[in-house]
Amino acid sequence: MNISVLNFDAYKIDVNPASRTLMGVSAYDADGATVLANFDIEEIVNHFGAAELLDEIGEQIARRHFEIEG
């Protein structure tokens, strides 16, 4: 059995059965940054995809990063 634990604050949550073994959880007014802190960067990249993340970062910031970092 794979157990995941996520820790973050939310104003309200709803918990509903999704199947015989899974629960669906909806969190309201949760801070996205504290939710993302529950995942490592590899999981985030795999979920969103490198191209989408690079698009969000923007070409100028990415260029500056690689010029500085070499």
Side-chain angles (χ1 to χ4, degrees):
M1 181 199 299
N2 186 9
I3 296 175
S4 297
V5 176
L6 304 177
N7 292 302
F8 57 90
D9 294 329
Y11 174 74
K12 172 186 164 185
I13 62 168
D14 288 333
V15 181
N16 297 296
S19 71
R20 289 184 333 126
T21 58
L22 297 174
M23 300 298 286
V25 178
S26 297
Y28 300 90
D29 292 328
D31 175 55
T34 60
V35 174
L36 284 175
N38 287 275
F39 302 93
D40 64 36
I41 194 69
E42 184 178 359
E43 291 173 306
I44 294 169
V45 172
N46 288 337
H47 177 76
F48 290 102
E52 188 171 339
L53 292 173
L54 287 169
D55 285 346
E56 183 63 29
I57 291 168
E59 183 178 340
Q60 293 302 322
I61 293 172
R63 283 182 186 273
R64 237 179 288 130
H65 170 77
F66 288 110
E67 287 170 358
I68 293 169
E69 296 296 321

